Structures are given as C-alpha cells and as structure tokens.
Amino acid sequence: MPEYPTAPSYPTALGASSRHEITLLGRSLADDVMGEVGFGELAFWLATQRRPTKGEARVFEAVLAALADHGFTPTAIVTRLTYLSAPDSIQGALAAGLLGGGSRFLGVTEDCGRFLHEALAGKQPDESWDDFARTVVAEQREARRFIPGLGHHVHKDGDPRTPRLFAIAREEDLFGPHLNLFAAIGRVHPEILGKTLPLNGAGVCGAALADLGLPLELLRGFALLARTAGLIGQLAEEIRNPVANDIFLSVDLNNRSVAPEPYGGQNG
Amino acid sequence: MPEYPTAPSYPTALGASSRHEITLLGRSLADDVMGEVGFGELAFWLATQRRPTKGEARVFEAVLAALADHGFTPTAIVTRLTYLSAPDSIQGALAAGLLGGGSRFLGVTEDCGRFLHEALAGKQPDESWDDFARTVVAEQREARRFIPGLGHHVHKDGDPRTPRLFAIAREEDLFGPHLNLFAAIGRVHPEILGKTLPLNGAGVCGAALADLGLPLELLRGFALLARTAGLIGQLAEEIRNPVANDIFLSVDLNNRSVAPEPYGGQNG
Amino acid sequence: MPEYPTAPSYPTALGASSRHEITLLGRSLADDVMGEVGFGELAFWLATQRRPTKGEARVFEAVLAALADHGFTPTAIVTRLTYLSAPDSIQGALAAGLLGGGSRFLGVTEDCGRFLHEALAGKQPDESWDDFARTVVAEQREARRFIPGLGHHVHKDGDPRTPRLFAIAREEDLFGPHLNLFAAIGRVHPEILGKTLPLNGAGVCGAALADLGLPLELLRGFALLARTAGLIGQLAEEIRNPVANDIFLSVDLNNRSVAPEPYGGQNG
Amino acid sequence: MPEYPTAPSYPTALGASSRHEITLLGRSLADDVMGEVGFGELAFWLATQRRPTKGEARVFEAVLAALADHGFTPTAIVTRLTYLSAPDSIQGALAAGLLGGGSRFLGVTEDCGRFLHEALAGKQPDESWDDFARTVVAEQREARRFIPGLGHHVHKDGDPRTPRLFAIAREEDLFGPHLNLFAAIGRVHPEILGKTLPLNGAGVCGAALADLGLPLELLRGFALLARTAGLIGQLAEEIRNPVANDIFLSVDLNNRSVAPEPYGGQNG
C-alpha cells in the first residue's frame, strides 16, 4: 500500500478559527453573527451558504414550527424511553429520537418536495396550474402510486397548517412553483381520484422548502432540525413530569408469552 | 404478573391535535406559532413552557450561533464519514455526529453552567463579585480541580465570543449572577493561579444559558440543538464538495499493522 | 379521541420472566441456554426462533468472522472519534459506528442476498447453474445494473474469504441455491462482461446467509452484529493505544478556508 | 496554523488487508479464523487481543446469553418503535436501542465489575471472603451507597442466572476473586443490612467478566454486544408479528393535554 502522497487539505466555508479570530461562512462569528442572526436564519445560511432574506427566514421558520413537535409520536416516545434507560446521556436520547426520522413518520416532507420538483423538472408549465396538476395526478393514479403530502389520518377535513403556510408564503412573495403545483393538486385531485383528501402539513412544508431553493437531499434534515427542538421539549417535560416508566410498564406488564414460530430451515 | 389496572394516561403540554385543530403549548400551532415565532424563540419556549422575551430570545440565539459550528471537529468528521458510508440515511449521519456531544468536546457549556450554579447556590454574594470569585477559584485550586470554561487551546489571548456575549447580555439587561461570577473569575484568577487563561466561548454560553433560567440538565441539549444546524451545514457542504472519502483514505492508507498486545489473562 | 378500548397485550416468544423463572424462546434461560449455547448460535436462534444445527451455526459464525472488522473503515474511525469526544458513553460510540452500516460500506451483504433470492424466485433452475447464471448476468448487463458482490477495490485477484466460505458451506452440506448461483456468476461473468472480477467477501456472506434461510430483511442486521464485535475491538485498542486525536488533528490542521458558494436563490 | 509535519501513521493489530491477504489479529482471516473460531470467542479475542481458552469462551458466552434479551425492556421497545418510524434503516433501529444501554438499565454489569475491582484493588484478601465482604458491605452502608448487583425488582427470592453462572465458572475453574467477593456479599449482607436481597444476574455477569480479565471500561460494551443479538431478535419478531404501532397508539391515544407549566424566568 503506497504512502499517501502529500498531506491532503480539506476545504470548508463553514467554521474556521485562528488565534484571534473565529469565522463562520466568511464572517466574523462574534461581530457579524452572534446577536445579529436568528437561529432559523443561521440554519438556512449554514445549509445554503447564502444568507436568507427576511421573508425567506420567516417562511423557513414557519416550516420549522410546523414540524417541531406533534406530541407522543414514536420519536418522542423513543427519546423519553432512552432517557429513562440512560439518563447520563442527553445526546443519546436525542440521537435515538432522531433515528426515527425516516421514511414513514418524517419522510413526507422530503418525499413531497422531491415529487413536486421532479414533476416540475425545473420549468413552469405553459398551461394553468390546475391543468398541469390534473396531468400529474392522473399519471400517479395510472402508476398506482400515492401522491406524497395528500391525506391525513386525523385531519381528514383539512390540516390547519396548510392554509396558514400558503398565506405566509404569499405574504412574503415566496409562493413559487412547488407551492402552486401542490395547491393545484389540492383543488383538482377529487375529480380524478373520486375522493377529497386534505393537503397535509408535512407535505406543504416540503413544497415551501423546495420553493426556498433548499437542497432536496436535505429536506429531511430540516425536519430533523425542527424535531431536535421538539425532542428537547419532550426531554424537559419528561424530567419534570416523567411518563416514560409508565409507558415502559404498560408494555412490559402487558406482555404475553407465546411459543416460538420457527422461521426458515425445512419450514422456511 | 397482574394486568395493568386501568388505561394509563400521559399528560403533556406540548403538541396535541384533534380533527380540526393542532395546538402546541396551549396555543394554536397554525395561528399563533407559525409565522409568529422565530425558531430560537420556539426552542426556548418548548424547553421551558414559557415564551421568552425579545431580549431573552436574542441572548439565547447568540449562544446557539456561538456553538453551531467550529469546522472540522470530531462531530463534523463523524457526520461526514457516516454519510459517506450510509448516504441513504440523513438521520443516521446527524445522529452519529450528535453522539460526540459528550463530556469532552461539547460538555463545557453544561459543566460551566452547573459549576457556576453550584457556586452561587441560588444566592447573590454579599461581598463584591471579585471577592466572591477569589474564594471560588481558591477552593477549586485547593481541590486540584479545573474551572470549567477557563482556558482554550487555540484562543490563548482571549476567545472573541466571550466579550461579545457579555455585551449582548448587558444590552438586553440579562447579565445575571452566573455571568457576573464568570466575568469576575476571568478578572481574578491570574492572581490565584499565577497565570492568565482566557474565558472560553463554551463556558460563557453556559453562564448565559444559566442566567436565562434554563434547566441545567438540558444545557448540553441546547449545545446539541445548535450543533444540529451546524451538522446540516457540514452535510450540505459534503454533498457538494465531498472530503469524507479523502479523510477515510488518509487514515486507511496510513494504517500500520502491529502485533497484537494481549490484555489480561496471565499478563493482565 | 376515544379511550383505548381494552388494555392491549403484546405477544413475544423472546425473553419473559416471572418471580422464579426467566425464559428465552420458551426455554429456561439459566438451565437450557447459559453454558449450553454459543453466542453465534444464540443470535441465529433469536433471529429465527429455531435453534440452528451445528453445521448451520458454523457457517453463520464463519460469516460473522468474515464481516467483524476490516481495520480503519469509516465505521471504525467514527467509533474512535466519538469515543474521543464523549468517552463517558460507550453506547454512543458503538451506536455511532453502527450508523455507518448503510447502503455503501455494509450493504453489499444484504444487496447480494436479495439479488440472488430474487433471481432464484424460490426455485432451482432446470438448466445448469452456469447457464442460469449466464442469463442472470446478461439481464443485469442489459439493464446496466451492477451485480452485487462482484468486484473489489483491493482484492482484485480474488477475495480470500470467498473460496473459504464456499469450502465451509460444502463441508457442512449447506451449499444451497444462493451459493450455487453466486459461484456460477463467478465462473461465467467474464464471457459476458468481458472482464474478470472477483466474487467479494461481503457478497458471499450474503449468499451463505440466504442459504441458511435467514430473513432477507435482516441480512444487514447480521453484518451489524458482526461489526459490533469489531467495534468493541476498535474501542479496546483506542483505549490502550489512542489514535483518534491524531486523526482529528490530521483533518483539522489541514483544513483550508474557502469562500462560501451560495446555493439556490437567484442562482439555484 | 502549521502544516501537519509528516504523514501520520495509525497502528492497529486488528483487521488489515493487502491484495492477496486479509489478516485479523495477526492471523489469516480466511484460514485461521473463519470456520475455526466461534463468534463469542472472536469477540473476546478482538477485545483483548488474546484468544480465550475454551473455558473462558464458555463463561463469556454464558454471560452474553444472560444479557441478550429480557423481553419488552425500554431498549427493545425503542428498537421496535424506531423500526416503525424508519423501516428503511435497520442500523438506525439497532443503534437507537443500544443508546438505552446506559447507567440505569444496562449499567449494573459495569458498575458491579468496577465496584468489586476497586474493593479488591488487585489483591486477594488475607482474611476469609466472608469477613472481607462484611467490611465491604459495612463501608457501603456507612457511605449510604448501594451495592451494585444486589437486589432485583422481580426476582426477589433469587435470580436464576446467578447460581447458574457461579456453577459454570466453577466448572471451568474460573471462579476468581470478583466472583468470590460477590458470592460472599450475597451470604453476609443480611446480617449488616438487616434484609435479604438477591444477587442479580447483571451483577454476577459483571463479576464474571472481571474475573475473565476483560477491560473494565468495556464491560458495558459486552452487555451491548449481547443486546445487539437480542435486538435483532426483537426486530425479526416485529417484522413478522408487529406490535410497535399498537404501543405507539396506546400512548398517543391516551395522551392528556395539560396547561404549560412555565419554568424559570421570574418563577425559576
């Protein structure tokens, strides 16, 4: 195995420091960032290496608020149970909760953003948004695929986050093609699918993030950032009014021992 | 094992939803939170169940900015390497990075907040802050214990974040006992320790968070929240300008095979 | 929201305990498992709820040995760096390492097992294995898809684990259709692809695990189990002869500050 | 910042590979390890860099069996809930479960091993084990500290794993000072504490691992290795007979919305 030829170097535009200075994204951390930049704004800046406008930051923070906490989700329960087991490691409790941020419970935001982006393929439709949406919905139906962001198991008559995020994006003049297409899908899908489904909050967040020009690979990352704040809230509440042990016992005391069901081998 | 007597119930003041409404902390998520509350403000609110004042939110967000990213820290390298190995799981890359947020690299914030809090034991000193700090430093020296937040391996002449956070806290009238004691330690320690050390940024953040009345058990949690935004920045950069494979190779190609050193047994 | 109607019950055939007894898989843990069952055998039993034969356990443990440790892989580096940052949390260091066990570095075992399984679709071919493999390789080539388990960036002339696992499986009379197809792919692919690639160790492990009748959804899980033992070895070595700080510094000291590259917005 | 002077090198006795060979711990992986070494034996070897005797491997594997799975523990529930949320990431589900392996539910093994080791301080007592144990128990009582490994919330009349592991260690002539002291504590504590508590299974495992000469810093690591096999069993069962959604719903549907309780600020 040959020696590595020369010392490699690792470029970064993020944090850097010398004896007297700390910079972040090319700015003085102390003078230009601390006290000057909100946390949502900073997260946007770190992810895109460009500082968002005031309107972009407001839409972005509205999305983070929409996704921060939904009560006793699996991720919240996981964080509480992990804290119960390992109270010495706050980082472990948060990390465990975030690991539930996968395809099923937190993935809709990313899936919806990607879906709209691919449908748009970088261009505005010539026709009206409603006509364009009709084609998109019909194609999905033909391929027997769900439309990400459509439907909700609780908010069957409409998810209150959706009209609110539409309104905020309009106020900030950031209602772009992804939100336009998403809204149009909401209007036209009943005539094609034969039933009326709500546009859900996770989906509208994906549409809004895509309209902000954020990297699609990271849409799930923003949902996870929002959720980190929520999980800290869950931990704070668990510390003051613990329920994790009750949750654990409600499962453990209701276990029912059954005979093994061999898998594979001669029967497999 | 007896059946669990009655269905348990799990109280929470965080997220709740019904068919037509979603609430967070007792407020309408759509109407009162989205578009109205910044993300730092929301994180504070979730952790304390009280909405911070504008000044509290500014100090809190200055702390988050100070802790968000420090370039190629172990946590940043870990997130990049995990993404290299498992690009299908953004949540895994973020969680892996956060798991480095333990005692050594991210713990100073919590340690410093706790140290100051215990020294203060809930009261203001009768004497001057400098006299009080002299006693505190002398006691630590006697017990041969370090003072958390004192010293920095790079910023030997002073960490630029420290005077800046002092200034912001003063501007917002939030320079409380923890910051007062920390600043006094910075003034008086040379006469007791015989050398001048900088008050570091992680430490001053702990002092400021403690003055905001945030739960001490969660100070590390806020450092992790800040770091989540930083790690998303690291991931975004890794996706566009990858370096993780070079880091991996720089280690793997420079491995040196050595003979096993048996541990334990007859030699242990 | 209606009350949950009756206390739910949660069936399991795994661990159960009463005041005087602990059972695992329907057997007395103390009398029938401890001291009687090897750890590889137990892991197989837990995953399938059937006790493997001696030959099955030997093949399974040979696979675990093949996958346990490959030196300074990203997962090993991640575990060492996380321990450097958070030495108080062994569980965090191990978990962080396992999170790299995704599609790229540890996924070949699962991908290869699934690929062979789908190609076989539950039946033995009528024709010879070589003819069957020719069809399979040609179809992949046509679809411009790689064959999982074929090729290795270091062991270009052959991965020593492959013939060894073939031999062990034959000795134990467990050389089933997945291994037969995999071996045949190794023989016939040069005539179709026009170049000779080695059958790699991760791939042959997937074939062997599939022939053992283990659930395909969990093939990655077994690779992770093997890797857990390897990561404990990495941690043990790191504790005695630390290199993580050198790795960290080799990156941090070679960082190169570059200007931000704005993403999205007007340029996006 | 100076350039890193010369390319660093990273020594390791674990995995290494060249074009034609793969070694592990200085042996040929294919010829000397695969098919020759059981998985428990290999884990021991990786952690200590010495190959255990047959007796050492048997005691070690008995410990792993004792700790592998205890039914619906918090770690098992966490793994199942994480799989429910993110079924695309087996590694995330396992890692999340392991993160619960902290001080409370999985730490007794490590705590007990360390406690006995410190009490012994490397020497055999001059007096009888019972007299020595009397001093140890009395000192703990005086300091108002619990004795790790003593007591169990279910197996109040005795944990069946304890006598079994004692017997196995005696059969293999590996009943060393840690087990001797632990057993003596079991005999003498009633006369000092005024009540009879069982020696629990997690504790006896710590004593046995310490007698095997394994590094104390890693005792929790072995508990985690055992648990990894258990969690794979939990995942396998969850895939075939899912209960995680029922667990989630049993919590979510029984949530009870309460008013926020402000923390800190004027009231803090």
Side-chain angles (χ1 to χ4, degrees):
Chain A
M1 203 54 66
E3 287 290 298
Y4 205 83
T6 56
S9 89
Y10 305 107
T12 182
L14 302 175
S17 59
S18 61
R19 183 148 178 162
H20 296 106
E21 209 191 13
I22 305 177
T23 59
L24 190 64
L25 296 155
R27 310 296 297 268
S28 160
L29 172 61
D31 296 338
D32 303 335
V33 183
M34 289 171 63
E36 303 298 318
V37 180
F39 185 53
E41 193 181 352
L42 179 63
F44 189 115
W45 198 350
L46 284 162
T48 59
Q49 306 199 354
R50 75 178 178 85
R51 189 163 179 178
T53 64
K54 221 173 130 95
E56 286 173 326
R58 183 164 173 248
V59 172
F60 183 63
E61 294 194 295
V63 167
L64 295 179
L67 300 175
D69 182 78
H70 302 151
F72 290 112
T73 54
T75 61
I77 301 170
V78 160
T79 284
R80 288 177 182 252
L81 286 170
T82 303
Y83 178 76
L84 173 71
S85 272
D88 43 316
S89 170
I90 292 285
Q91 71 269 27
L94 291 176
L98 292 181
L99 288 171
S103 54
R104 206 172 297 172
F105 271 76
L106 223 63
V108 176
T109 298
E110 179 161 337
D111 293 344
C112 186
R114 283 182 186 279
F115 168 73
L116 298 169
H117 197 76
E118 280 159 26
L120 289 161
K123 4 175 213 257
Q124 303 266 350
D126 297 329
E127 54 204 323
S128 78
W129 284 113
D130 281 16
D131 285 346
F132 187 59
R134 276 184 197 96
T135 315
V136 168
V137 174
E139 281 172 9
Q140 285 296 103
R141 183 194 169 83
E142 199 126 319
R144 293 164 179 277
R145 282 196 298 259
F146 287 109
I147 293 170
L150 198 58
H152 198 285
H153 68 294
V154 174
H155 308 300
K156 292 179 203 291
D157 315 312
D159 185 321
R161 295 171 294 178
T162 305
R164 178 66 173 138
L165 195 58
F166 283 160
I168 293 168
R170 279 203 192 91
E171 283 164 26
E172 304 298 340
D173 211 9
L174 287 161
F175 203 92
H178 301 85
L179 283 166
N180 266 308
L181 175 54
F182 192 62
I185 288 171
R187 288 189 298 269
V188 306
H189 77 271
E191 53 188 88
I192 296 158
L193 303 183
K195 60 183 167 184
T196 302
L197 296 167
L199 295 172
N200 64 46
V204 75
C205 287
L209 293 174
D211 269 348
L212 289 172
L214 292 165
L216 294 172
E217 300 93 331
L218 289 176
L219 295 198
R220 192 188 295 186
F222 300 117
L224 292 163
L225 174 63
R227 189 49 54 98
T228 305
L231 292 176
I232 290 173
Q234 294 280 340
L235 271 178
E237 196 171 68
E238 177 68 21
I239 289 171
R240 293 205 281 155
N241 297 311
V243 301
N245 202 51
D246 281 354
I247 294 174
F248 158 52
L249 289 178
S250 85
V251 180
D252 193 38
L253 298 181
N254 289 307
N255 89 78
R256 184 161 49 84
S257 209
V258 297
E261 276 183 58
Y263 178 94
Q266 304 307 22
N267 328 304
Chain B
M1 202 58 64
E3 285 291 297
Y4 206 83
T6 57
S9 90
Y10 306 107
T12 182
L14 303 175
S17 58
S18 61
R19 184 152 179 160
H20 295 107
E21 208 191 12
I22 305 177
T23 60
L24 189 63
L25 296 154
R27 310 296 297 267
S28 160
L29 172 61
D31 296 338
D32 303 334
V33 182
M34 288 171 65
E36 304 298 318
V37 179
F39 185 52
E41 193 182 352
L42 179 64
F44 189 115
W45 196 352
L46 285 162
T48 60
Q49 305 200 354
R50 75 178 176 86
R51 188 163 179 179
T53 65
K54 221 173 132 94
E56 286 173 325
R58 183 163 173 250
V59 171
F60 184 62
E61 294 194 295
V63 167
L64 296 179
L67 300 175
D69 182 76
H70 302 150
F72 290 112
T73 54
T75 59
I77 301 171
V78 160
T79 284
R80 288 178 182 251
L81 285 170
T82 303
Y83 178 75
L84 172 71
S85 271
D88 42 317
S89 169
I90 292 285
Q91 70 270 28
L94 290 176
L98 292 181
L99 289 171
S103 54
R104 206 172 297 174
F105 271 77
L106 222 64
V108 176
T109 298
E110 178 160 339
D111 294 343
C112 186
R114 283 183 186 276
F115 168 73
L116 298 169
H117 197 77
E118 281 160 26
L120 289 161
K123 10 177 202 28
Q124 303 266 351
D126 298 328
E127 54 203 326
S128 77
W129 284 113
D130 282 15
D131 285 345
F132 188 60
R134 277 185 196 98
T135 314
V136 168
V137 174
E139 281 174 8
Q140 284 297 103
R141 182 193 169 82
E142 199 126 319
R144 293 164 178 277
R145 283 195 297 260
F146 288 110
I147 293 170
L150 196 60
H152 198 286
H153 68 294
V154 173
H155 308 300
K156 293 180 203 289
D157 315 312
D159 185 322
R161 294 171 294 178
T162 305
R164 179 65 173 138
L165 196 58
F166 282 160
I168 293 168
R170 278 203 192 92
E171 285 165 26
E172 304 299 341
D173 212 10
L174 286 163
F175 202 93
H178 301 85
L179 283 166
N180 266 308
L181 175 55
F182 192 62
I185 288 172
R187 287 189 299 270
V188 306
H189 78 271
E191 51 188 91
I192 296 159
L193 303 184
K195 59 183 170 183
T196 302
L197 296 167
L199 294 172
N200 65 44
V204 74
C205 288
L209 294 174
D211 269 347
L212 289 172
L214 293 164
L216 294 171
E217 300 93 330
L218 288 176
L219 295 199
R220 193 186 294 185
F222 299 117
L224 293 163
L225 174 63
R227 188 50 54 96
T228 306
L231 293 175
I232 290 173
Q234 294 279 340
L235 271 179
E237 195 172 68
E238 178 67 23
I239 289 170
R240 292 204 281 155
N241 297 311
V243 301
N245 202 50
D246 281 353
I247 294 173
F248 158 51
L249 289 178
S250 86
V251 180
D252 192 37
L253 298 180
N254 289 307
N255 88 79
R256 183 161 49 83
S257 209
V258 297
E261 276 184 58
Y263 177 95
Q266 305 307 21
N267 327 304
Chain C
M1 202 57 65
E3 285 292 297
Y4 205 84
T6 57
S9 88
Y10 306 107
T12 181
L14 303 176
S17 58
S18 62
R19 183 151 179 160
H20 295 106
E21 209 191 13
I22 305 177
T23 60
L24 190 63
L25 296 153
R27 311 295 297 267
S28 160
L29 172 61
D31 296 338
D32 303 334
V33 183
M34 288 172 64
E36 305 297 317
V37 180
F39 185 53
E41 192 181 352
L42 179 64
F44 188 115
W45 197 351
L46 284 162
T48 60
Q49 305 199 355
R50 75 176 177 86
R51 188 163 180 178
T53 64
K54 220 171 131 96
E56 286 173 325
R58 183 164 173 248
V59 171
F60 183 62
E61 293 195 295
V63 167
L64 295 180
L67 300 176
D69 182 77
H70 302 149
F72 290 112
T73 54
T75 61
I77 301 170
V78 160
T79 284
R80 288 178 182 250
L81 286 170
T82 303
Y83 179 75
L84 173 72
S85 272
D88 42 317
S89 169
I90 292 285
Q91 70 270 27
L94 291 176
L98 292 181
L99 289 171
S103 54
R104 206 171 299 173
F105 272 76
L106 223 63
V108 176
T109 298
E110 178 159 337
D111 294 343
C112 185
R114 283 183 185 278
F115 168 74
L116 298 169
H117 198 77
E118 281 160 27
L120 289 161
K123 10 176 199 71
Q124 304 267 350
D126 297 329
E127 55 203 323
S128 77
W129 283 112
D130 282 14
D131 284 347
F132 188 59
R134 276 186 197 95
T135 315
V136 169
V137 175
E139 280 173 9
Q140 285 296 102
R141 182 192 169 83
E142 199 126 320
R144 292 164 179 277
R145 282 195 298 259
F146 288 110
I147 293 170
L150 197 59
H152 198 286
H153 67 295
V154 173
H155 308 300
K156 293 179 202 291
D157 314 312
D159 185 322
R161 295 172 293 179
T162 305
R164 178 67 174 137
L165 196 57
F166 282 160
I168 294 167
R170 279 202 192 91
E171 284 164 26
E172 304 298 341
D173 212 9
L174 287 162
F175 203 92
H178 301 86
L179 283 166
N180 266 308
L181 175 54
F182 193 61
I185 287 171
R187 287 189 300 268
V188 306
H189 78 272
E191 53 188 88
I192 296 159
L193 303 183
K195 59 182 169 184
T196 303
L197 295 167
L199 295 172
N200 65 45
V204 74
C205 287
L209 293 174
D211 269 349
L212 289 173
L214 292 164
L216 294 172
E217 301 93 332
L218 289 177
L219 295 198
R220 193 187 293 185
F222 299 117
L224 292 163
L225 174 63
R227 188 49 54 98
T228 305
L231 292 176
I232 289 173
Q234 294 280 339
L235 271 179
E237 195 171 69
E238 177 68 21
I239 289 171
R240 293 204 281 155
N241 297 310
V243 300
N245 201 52
D246 282 353
I247 293 173
F248 158 52
L249 289 178
S250 86
V251 180
D252 192 38
L253 298 181
N254 289 307
N255 88 77
R256 183 161 48 84
S257 209
V258 298
E261 277 184 58
Y263 178 94
Q266 305 307 21
N267 327 304
Chain D
M1 203 53 67
E3 286 290 297
Y4 205 83
T6 57
S9 88
Y10 305 107
T12 182
L14 302 175
S17 58
S18 61
R19 184 150 179 160
H20 295 107
E21 209 191 13
I22 304 177
T23 60
L24 190 64
L25 296 155
R27 309 297 298 267
S28 160
L29 173 62
D31 297 338
D32 303 335
V33 182
M34 289 172 65
E36 305 297 318
V37 180
F39 185 53
E41 193 182 351
L42 179 63
F44 189 114
W45 196 351
L46 284 161
T48 60
Q49 305 200 352
R50 75 178 177 85
R51 188 162 179 181
T53 64
K54 221 173 130 95
E56 286 173 326
R58 182 163 174 249
V59 172
F60 183 63
E61 295 194 294
V63 167
L64 296 179
L67 300 175
D69 183 78
H70 302 149
F72 290 113
T73 54
T75 60
I77 301 171
V78 160
T79 284
R80 288 178 182 251
L81 285 171
T82 303
Y83 179 75
L84 172 72
S85 272
D88 42 318
S89 169
I90 292 285
Q91 71 268 29
L94 291 176
L98 292 181
L99 289 172
S103 53
R104 207 171 298 173
F105 272 77
L106 224 63
V108 176
T109 298
E110 178 160 339
D111 294 344
C112 186
R114 283 182 186 279
F115 169 73
L116 298 170
H117 197 77
E118 281 159 26
L120 290 162
K123 10 177 205 63
Q124 302 266 351
D126 297 328
E127 54 203 325
S128 77
W129 283 112
D130 282 15
D131 285 346
F132 188 58
R134 275 185 197 98
T135 314
V136 168
V137 175
E139 280 173 9
Q140 286 296 104
R141 183 195 169 81
E142 199 127 318
R144 293 165 179 276
R145 284 195 297 260
F146 287 111
I147 293 170
L150 197 59
H152 197 287
H153 68 293
V154 173
H155 308 299
K156 292 180 203 289
D157 315 312
D159 185 320
R161 294 171 294 177
T162 304
R164 178 67 173 139
L165 196 57
F166 283 160
I168 294 168
R170 279 204 191 90
E171 284 165 26
E172 304 298 341
D173 211 9
L174 287 162
F175 202 92
H178 301 85
L179 284 166
N180 266 307
L181 175 54
F182 193 62
I185 288 171
R187 288 189 298 270
V188 306
H189 77 271
E191 51 188 270
I192 296 158
L193 303 183
K195 59 183 168 182
T196 302
L197 296 167
L199 294 172
N200 64 45
V204 74
C205 288
L209 293 174
D211 269 348
L212 289 172
L214 292 164
L216 295 171
E217 301 93 331
L218 289 176
L219 295 199
R220 193 187 294 184
F222 299 116
L224 292 163
L225 174 63
R227 189 50 55 96
T228 305
L231 293 176
I232 289 174
Q234 293 280 340
L235 272 178
E237 195 172 70
E238 177 67 22
I239 289 171
R240 292 204 281 154
N241 297 311
V243 301
N245 202 51
D246 282 352
I247 293 173
F248 158 52
L249 289 178
S250 85
V251 180
D252 192 37
L253 298 181
N254 288 307
N255 88 78
R256 181 161 51 84
S257 210
V258 297
E261 276 182 59
Y263 178 95
Q266 305 308 21
N267 328 304

